Amino acid sequence: TAYEIHERLVGSEMCIRDRYRNQHFLCIYDSYYIEASHSNHMGTADLGYKQGQITIKGWTIEIIKMKHKKIAIIGAGFAGAVITNRLLQAGYQVTIFEKSRGTGGRLSSCRIGKDSADLGAPWFEPTTDQFRQWLIARTDINRWLAPHSDFSGLALDPRTVYMSTPRQNSLTQNLIKGAMLCTESKITDIYKDSQGLCLRRESEDIKYSYDAVIVTTPAPQAIPLLTLAPNLHTVASSTQTTPNWVAVISLKEKSGV
């Protein structure tokens, strides 16, 4: 299958898409764009990632040096941090624009005196084995058997959850190491010029152009940024979000709970 030859060529994590089932696939490895199409049956080979086109047992494989080297990412939440990390590993130059003062998004944290508090998701509770194994493999994630109870005080079965240490937004901070982070930078528009894609930050234009821009904000914030991508604009406009409330309470004395 295309997936098998893809595993041999570049590994599964950098796959962009696998289209036409076994007939065609696209992927990125390091700074190379690789496209393979199948005529009769599959074959495998060690290509060495050289530019050019070769045919192996019915596979026509085109390897082209990537042009998209400068990438702008809007949003330094979990989604933005993960894709930043993968792009950095692939050799891209990544700049992140975040409207808040720090990273995290729905995993943000704040300091309260000498302590800190998580303002978003207090932990991860993975529903897939792939995400669970990714969390377990990270040294900045701790496993916790969390006791909990209902509002009547009745103890419920403990839940296995995972937490970033020392606070939740530490995970996003670690993932984006190596990228340029611009905080308190609210992007209001994405437009094209002769050099590529450009960004407007509130009332001023950013004097740089990018080969690609990736929007990782929640759907309501993404809508005004997707005018150049009508299909994505439609998806974002039709997405229903579910609010999640978090209360941070500071006590003068220990509660005993």
Side-chain angles (χ1 to χ4, degrees):
T1 65
Y3 184 76
E4 288 170 346
I5 194 171
H6 164 250
E7 284 277 14
R8 180 69 178 270
L9 291 176
V10 297
S12 61
E13 284 198 350
M14 295 307 296
C15 182
I16 295 180
R17 49 182 168 161
D18 180 356
R19 61 182 184 179
Y20 311 134
R21 296 186 180 273
N22 297 342
Q23 304 305 311
H24 190 253
F25 73 92
L26 303 174
C27 54
I28 287 178
Y29 179 81
D30 194 17
S31 58
Y32 289 92
Y33 167 91
I34 301 174
E35 178 169 344
S37 58
H38 181 252
S39 59
N40 296 311
H41 54 277
M42 79 153 289
T44 60
D46 181 5
L47 300 180
Y49 309 116
K50 297 178 180 178
Q51 287 186 247
Q53 185 182 91
I54 62 173
T55 301
I56 309 168
K57 297 181 180 179
W59 281 95
T60 299
I61 300 174
E62 182 80 12
I63 302 179
I64 306 169
K65 186 72 174 179
M66 285 294 295
K67 295 180 180 178
H68 289 181
K69 291 296 293 183
K70 293 189 297 181
I71 313 294
I73 294 187
I74 301 175
F78 188 41
V82 169
I83 197 166
T84 294
N85 184 260
R86 293 191 176 190
L87 289 170
L88 289 171
Q89 291 179 23
Y92 292 87
Q93 302 171 32
V94 182
T95 302
I96 310 168
F97 295 91
E98 168 57 45
K99 66 181 179 64
S100 302
R101 290 183 294 176
T103 69
R106 281 5 184 205
L107 298 177
S108 62
S109 306
C110 72
R111 290 195 176 276
I112 302 177
K114 297 180 180 179
D115 301 316
S116 65
D118 293 325
L119 301 179
W123 55 61
F124 300 104
E125 198 167 0
T127 58
T128 66
D129 186 62
Q130 183 180 14
F131 185 35
R132 183 179 298 105
Q133 293 305 318
W134 184 85
L135 291 169
I136 291 172
R138 294 197 59 85
T139 57
D140 51 2
I141 296 290
N142 285 341
R143 179 175 174 271
W144 181 38
L145 195 62
H148 70 295
S149 61
D150 62 18
F151 285 105
S152 70
L154 178 65
L156 304 175
D157 292 336
R159 298 156 62 179
T160 300
V161 298
Y162 299 84
M163 303 174 63
S164 176
T165 57
R167 58 189 66 88
Q168 280 289 74
N169 74 337
S170 299
L171 176 60
T172 53
Q173 292 172 354
N174 293 335
L175 286 169
I176 68 170
K177 287 180 179 177
M180 179 180 292
L181 174 63
C182 301
T183 58
E184 297 183 287
S185 298
K186 183 179 180 180
I187 303 301
T188 58
D189 189 24
I190 303 172
Y191 62 96
K192 287 183 179 180
D193 71 2
S194 59
Q195 302 299 315
L197 292 169
C198 301
L199 306 178
R200 182 168 290 115
R201 179 170 46 197
E202 296 182 320
S203 60
E204 64 174 347
D205 289 351
I206 295 173
K207 297 179 180 180
Y208 296 97
S209 61
Y210 299 91
D211 297 295
V213 177
I214 301 174
V215 180
T216 69
T217 65
Q221 299 173 29
I223 292 171
L225 301 176
L226 296 174
T227 54
L228 295 178
N231 291 340
L232 295 178
H233 184 277
T234 300
V235 172
S237 299
S238 61
T239 299
Q240 297 293 321
T241 59
T242 302
N244 192 8
W245 297 93
V246 175
V248 178
I249 301 171
S250 179
L251 304 177
K252 292 182 179 180
E253 299 177 358
K254 291 184 177 181
S255 65
V257 176

